């Protein structure tokens, strides 16, 4: 064995193994307090990126030597250490290492990390970084908010050399879908704009505006719009205007929306002559919120200035349809014709959909004949609407007929067409046929979207109970699909009602691990279920995760958790939640229904 040991010393390979562990705040603080001319201020690096390392074991040879071309020795500086391959005196040192975006350390070999003398944010050390959208989204959502700025973390994880238009769009899209805090999305967008403005697309701006406006950050939304108007006016589109005005119409008053339209003309789209297209955006803002009285008022008020077109009339027609009033749809259609506008495919699609949703399938078929009689070719949207309408009146034969006619009409069945037929089958309790159709979608590589899963979960809840839902849930998570909020809330409620708290907590963890911030409604259900079964600590941890991601708990959830924590005598946890809520209030005023923390009338010892 001794001779074998001596032979190993001839190998120049790097055998030292390192154990990487995140630094605790205390150890990080001590390291950062180092003083000296050549000391490095570690506060510029986020603690989660700092690792402590130690030599696990040594072989003879250059075991403690930092390998590299002309690199200095870090752990074996004396002559005896270098020659004999031993450590005479332990020494504290700082080395930089390359880190991939997926969370691992970029290593040349499997056993040892690759260190670099350059800071991680420099181009020299970031050339091998691979950017992963899922991981980057999770890091942004998990970043402590509002305790630490996001910019330093982005600087280390996302160097300018790794930017691409699709990356920025995908990350913002994921932040939108994951209900991320608007200020985090804004900071990410501004970081990308500063470091690589040529790769920012209008879609990236629109997604950022949507996230901000959805959380009612209207002041910051207007600041961003004015800044973009000055520096990157080419990014501004009519969709940008539509997003902001629609949210103002939803959350603010009629007068605020009109004032927003004026500000768009005077402050944002400066020098642009507003015409019919901009007028249509304002109409759509009211119609999408089903505010038809306001939409008609704007139409009457601004028609002298803007000349409406067929699109203007279709927008109003769509608004009446969304409000569920078939009579108003038909009355306005006749007004549209009387004004001299010729109906197009969109006009007929809106009218057909209006009749289908009201269960007037025969009238919808009559409109289809009229549409074809005017030589207007039905689109895949038209056929999808009719399939859905046939399902609503439980006419499966007609639904299958329209679905099978799709190829003969020179159309291609997409996810929407399949979803319409799946919905019709589930509504008529043909769950096996619906499952077979979903399998066909997977075989043909047709995307299973949120509607597909939501419809199937509804059907399985009625027919197979918890076993069927659990089986589909496992398949969904294995595919890595993240459902929409309404499906998450529905599943959370179903799991809790069926005493499957392990599935409820598992769903919550799955969403968090995928970088999503679950909606407050999902937290309400989970906290209620956990507290009712005495799992107060788990309810506290889930609530804490929500607040850490910059989202409020509801007042109902906080009051329930407060009561159970007081009963358990766990005042520290209650105070911790209250402190997090107060810090969040400093940057995000609570909306109606959001908790404001412990009431001032309650005295906490």
């Amino acid at each position: 064995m001794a001779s074998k040991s001596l032979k190993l010393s001839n190998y120049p390979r790097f055998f030292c193994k390192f154990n990487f562990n995140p630094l605790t705040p205390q150890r990080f603080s001590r390291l950062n307090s180092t003083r000296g001319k050549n000391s490095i201020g570690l506060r510029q690096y986020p603690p989660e990126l700092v690792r402590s390392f130690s030599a696990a074991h040594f072989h003879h040879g250059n075991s403690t030597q930092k390998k590299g071309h002309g690199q200095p020795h870090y752990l074996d500086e004396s002559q005896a250490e270098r020659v004999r391959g031993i450590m005479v005196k332990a020494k504290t040192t700082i080395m930089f290492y390359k880190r991939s975006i997926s969370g691992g350390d970029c290593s040349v070999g499997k056993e040892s990390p690759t260190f670099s003398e350059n800071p991680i944010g420099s181009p020299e050390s970031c050339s091998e970084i691979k950017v992963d959208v899922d991981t980057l989204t999770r890091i942004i959502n998990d970043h402590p908010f509002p305790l630490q700025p996001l910019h330093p973390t982005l600087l280390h994880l996302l160097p300018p050399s790794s930017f691409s238009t699709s990356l920025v769009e995908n990350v913002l899209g994921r932040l939108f879908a994951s209900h991320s805090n608007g200020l985090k999305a804004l900071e990410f967008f501004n970081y990308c704009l500063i470091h690589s403005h040529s790769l920012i697309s209008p879609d990236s701006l629109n997604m950022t505006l949507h996230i901000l406006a959805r959380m009612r950050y209207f002041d910051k939304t207007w600041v961003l719009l004015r800044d973009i108007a000055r520096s990157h006016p080419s990014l501004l589109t009519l969709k940008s205007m539509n997003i902001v005005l629609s949210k103002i119409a939803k959350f603010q008053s009629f007068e605020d929306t009109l004032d927003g339209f004026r500000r768009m003309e005077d402050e944002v789209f400066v020098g642009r002559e507003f015409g019919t297209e901009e007028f249509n955006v304002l109409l759509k803002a009211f119609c999408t919120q089903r505010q038809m009285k306001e939409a008609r008022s704007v139409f009457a008020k601004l028609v002298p200035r803007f000349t409406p077109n067929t699109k203007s009339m279709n927008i109003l027609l769509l608004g009446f349809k969304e409000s569920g009033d078939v009579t108003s749809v038909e009355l306005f259609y006749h007004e549209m014709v009387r004004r001299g506008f010729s109906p197009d495919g969109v006009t007929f699609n809106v009218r057909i959909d209006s009749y289908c949703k009201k269960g007037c399938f025969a009238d919808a078929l009559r409109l289809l004949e009229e549409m074809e009689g005017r030589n207007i070719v039905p689109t895949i949207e038209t056929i999808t609407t009719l399939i859905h309408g046939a399902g609503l009146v439980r006419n499966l034969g007609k639904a299958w007929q329209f679905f099978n006619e799709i190829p003969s009409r020179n159309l291609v069945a997409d996810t929407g067409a399949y979803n319409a037929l799946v919905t019709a089958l589930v509504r008529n309790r043909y769950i096996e046929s619906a499952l077979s159709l979903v399998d066909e979608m997977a075989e043909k590589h047709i995307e299973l979207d949120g509607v597909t899963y939501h419809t199937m979960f509804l059907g399985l809840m009625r027919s197979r109970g918890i076993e069927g839902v659990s089986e589909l849930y496992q398949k969904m998570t294995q595919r890595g699909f993240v459902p929409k909020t309404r499906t998450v809330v529905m599943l959370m409620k179903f799991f809790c009602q069926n005493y499957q708290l392990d599935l409820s907590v598992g769903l919550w963890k799955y969403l968090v691990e995928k970088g999503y911030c679950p909606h407050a409604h999902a937290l309400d259900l989970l906290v209620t279920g956990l507290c009712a079964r005495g799992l107060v600590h788990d309810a506290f941890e889930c609530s804490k995760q929500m607040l850490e991601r910059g989202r409020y708990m509801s007042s109902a959830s906080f009051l329930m958790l407060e009561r159970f924590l007081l009963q358990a005598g766990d005042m520290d946890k209650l105070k911790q939640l209250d402190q997090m809520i107060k810090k969040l209030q400093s940057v995000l005023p609570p909306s109606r229904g959001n908790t404001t923390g412990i009431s001032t009338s309650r005295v906490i010892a």
Side-chain angles (χ1 to χ4, degrees):
M1 291 298 296
S3 61
K4 188 175 181 180
S5 232
L6 289 173
K7 289 180 182 178
L8 284 173
S9 65
N10 296 325
Y11 286 88
R13 296 184 63 178
F14 189 69
F15 284 100
C16 178
K17 295 181 180 180
F18 291 99
N19 294 329
F20 277 78
N21 299 301
L23 288 179
T24 63
Q26 293 80 10
R27 297 173 63 194
F28 182 79
S29 177
R30 289 199 299 270
L31 278 176
N32 190 61
S33 62
T34 305
R35 294 289 183 266
K37 185 175 70 173
N38 297 323
S39 64
I40 300 174
L42 292 182
R43 288 198 184 277
Q44 62 180 305
Y45 304 105
E48 61 266 23
L49 297 184
V50 180
R51 300 288 184 266
S52 61
F53 63 93
S54 60
H57 64 274
F58 300 96
H59 294 276
H60 286 288
N62 298 326
S63 60
T64 57
Q65 180 175 330
K66 163 72 170 65
K67 303 293 285 183
H69 301 287
Q71 301 278 359
H73 294 251
Y74 281 103
L75 300 181
D76 50 349
E77 291 188 340
S78 71
Q79 186 66 22
E81 288 176 321
R82 297 180 188 179
V83 173
R84 301 183 62 187
I86 61 174
M87 182 179 288
V88 176
K89 180 180 179 181
K91 179 180 180 294
T92 300
T93 188
I94 296 174
M95 289 183 281
F96 292 97
Y97 68 97
K98 294 178 181 178
R99 181 182 187 277
S100 73
I101 198 69
S102 60
D105 303 316
C106 299
S107 304
V108 175
K110 292 184 178 180
E111 298 198 12
S112 61
T114 302
F115 290 94
S116 170
E117 288 186 289
N118 296 314
I120 300 172
S122 66
E124 293 83 1
S125 61
C126 294
S127 58
E128 299 179 15
I129 287 182
K130 294 188 300 180
V131 178
D132 178 76
V133 172
D134 291 345
T135 305
L136 184 56
T137 305
R138 184 174 63 251
I139 290 173
I140 293 174
N141 270 330
D142 291 349
H143 190 78
F145 182 87
L147 302 179
Q148 298 177 13
L150 185 59
H151 189 276
T153 300
L154 292 174
L155 189 62
H156 294 303
L157 295 177
L158 192 63
S161 60
S162 64
F163 281 176
S164 69
T165 301
S166 61
L167 170 69
V168 179
E169 289 178 354
N170 289 335
V171 170
L172 286 168
R174 288 291 303 275
L175 291 175
F176 172 77
S178 63
H179 296 277
S180 177
N181 182 280
L183 296 183
K184 290 185 179 182
L186 178 61
E187 194 167 356
F188 172 76
F189 176 81
N190 285 333
Y191 172 81
C192 297
L193 191 66
I194 292 171
H195 292 281
S196 187
H197 59 85
S198 62
L199 296 176
I200 301 300
S201 67
D203 286 342
S204 298
L205 171 64
N206 292 338
M207 198 63 66
T208 306
L209 292 172
H210 208 152
I211 298 172
L212 287 171
R214 180 177 63 181
M215 294 192 69
R216 310 184 194 187
Y217 281 120
F218 290 113
D219 290 342
K220 295 187 180 297
T221 300
W222 285 112
V223 170
L224 176 61
L225 283 172
R226 288 193 295 267
D227 290 343
I228 294 296
R230 287 192 297 267
S231 59
H232 303 84
S234 61
L235 296 180
L236 294 168
T237 62
L238 291 177
K239 187 175 181 180
S240 309
M241 186 192 305
N242 178 56
I243 290 170
V244 177
L245 292 182
S246 294
K247 293 302 179 183
I248 294 176
K250 180 178 181 178
F251 297 120
Q252 297 185 345
S253 67
F254 172 73
E255 291 74 16
D256 289 329
T257 309
L258 290 181
D259 183 63
F261 184 72
R262 179 195 58 78
R263 294 180 67 179
M264 286 288 182
E265 186 173 12
D266 297 341
E267 302 175 16
V268 181
F269 293 87
V270 181
R272 176 170 179 160
E273 184 178 353
F274 274 31
T276 302
E277 291 302 316
E278 290 76 15
F279 172 60
N280 288 342
V281 170
L282 180 60
L283 286 177
K284 189 176 180 180
F286 290 112
C287 290
T288 53
Q289 303 304 324
R290 304 178 185 179
Q291 300 175 7
M292 297 312 299
K293 180 180 177 181
E294 290 81 356
R296 290 300 299 263
S297 175
V298 167
F299 184 82
K301 181 178 181 179
L302 296 182
V303 157
R305 179 184 174 190
F306 303 108
T307 304
N309 55 14
T310 303
K311 184 177 179 180
S312 310
M313 310 308 284
N314 283 337
I315 289 173
L316 288 167
L317 196 68
L318 180 64
F320 286 117
K321 189 267 293 185
E322 290 298 323
S323 63
D325 191 343
V326 178
T327 304
S328 296
V329 170
E330 287 304 300
L331 287 175
F332 188 77
Y333 168 74
H334 290 293
E335 180 183 340
M336 171 182 174
V337 174
R338 189 171 60 253
R339 285 175 176 266
F341 294 97
S342 299
D344 58 10
V346 175
T347 309
F348 277 98
N349 285 346
V350 171
R351 295 175 67 202
I352 289 173
D353 191 29
S354 178
Y355 279 115
C356 284
K357 287 183 177 178
K358 283 298 181 180
C360 304
F361 188 61
D363 290 318
L365 293 177
R366 175 182 55 79
L367 286 177
L368 176 64
E369 293 179 0
E370 182 184 342
M371 181 181 185
E372 293 175 327
R374 290 173 175 259
N375 293 322
I376 300 175
V377 180
T379 62
I380 189 62
E381 290 79 15
T382 312
I383 305 303
T384 299
T385 300
L386 289 166
I387 294 172
H388 181 70
L392 288 175
V393 296
R394 303 186 184 278
N395 190 343
L396 275 183
K398 207 65 177 176
W400 274 110
Q401 177 186 332
F402 277 117
F403 184 81
N404 293 328
E405 286 178 358
I406 290 177
S408 63
R409 292 177 178 271
N410 295 321
L411 301 172
V412 178
D414 57 5
T415 301
Y418 272 93
N419 284 344
L421 187 55
V422 167
T423 303
L425 292 169
V426 168
R427 181 178 293 274
N428 290 273
R429 301 186 182 277
Y430 286 94
I431 193 68
E432 293 296 336
S433 299
L435 287 170
S436 298
L437 201 60
V438 170
D439 291 338
E440 180 182 326
M441 292 175 67
E443 291 172 2
K444 292 184 176 181
H445 304 288
I446 297 174
E447 180 188 8
L448 277 67
D449 63 4
V451 175
T452 314
Y453 281 108
H454 188 84
T455 304
M456 290 308 305
F457 279 127
L458 275 175
L460 290 169
M461 287 176 185
R462 297 168 185 164
S463 60
R464 296 188 180 180
I466 189 64
E467 292 79 11
V469 172
S470 178
E471 182 180 352
L472 181 61
Y473 168 73
Q474 297 299 332
K475 289 182 180 180
M476 182 187 71
T477 54
Q478 288 171 4
R479 291 168 178 162
F481 184 84
V482 179
K484 300 292 185 181
T485 297
R486 65 170 186 159
T487 308
V488 171
V489 172
M490 181 180 70
L491 287 175
M492 196 71 74
K493 182 178 181 180
F494 186 76
F495 290 153
C496 291
Q497 288 177 341
N498 286 271
Y499 307 101
Q500 300 292 327
L501 284 180
D502 55 335
L503 292 176
S504 299
V505 175
L507 175 59
W508 180 274
K509 290 181 179 179
Y510 172 73
L511 294 171
V512 172
E513 288 170 359
K514 294 292 287 184
Y516 283 67
C517 182
H519 197 275
H521 293 333
L523 181 65
D524 290 346
L525 294 165
L526 187 57
V527 168
T528 301
L530 291 172
C531 288
R533 290 161 182 80
L535 302 174
V536 183
H537 175 73
D538 293 332
F540 165 77
E541 289 297 330
C542 293
S543 303
K544 183 180 174 184
Q545 287 177 333
M546 174 75 83
L547 293 168
E548 285 174 341
R549 284 157 177 77
R551 298 305 298 265
Y552 276 104
M553 299 173 59
S554 69
S555 297
S557 292
F558 182 80
L559 289 173
M560 177 177 292
L561 192 54
E562 179 184 27
R563 178 163 59 88
F564 277 90
L565 287 174
L566 288 173
Q567 289 177 358
D570 205 337
M571 309 300 296
D572 292 337
K573 290 180 180 177
L574 184 57
K575 288 181 179 179
Q576 185 177 355
L577 288 179
D578 184 63
Q579 291 172 358
M580 296 176 70
I581 292 168
K582 294 297 191 291
K583 289 178 181 177
L584 186 57
Q585 288 175 355
S586 64
V587 294
L588 177 62
S591 302
R592 185 176 62 181
N594 291 341
T595 183
T596 56
I598 300 173
S599 174
T600 54
S601 61
R602 183 182 295 276
V603 179
I604 302 294

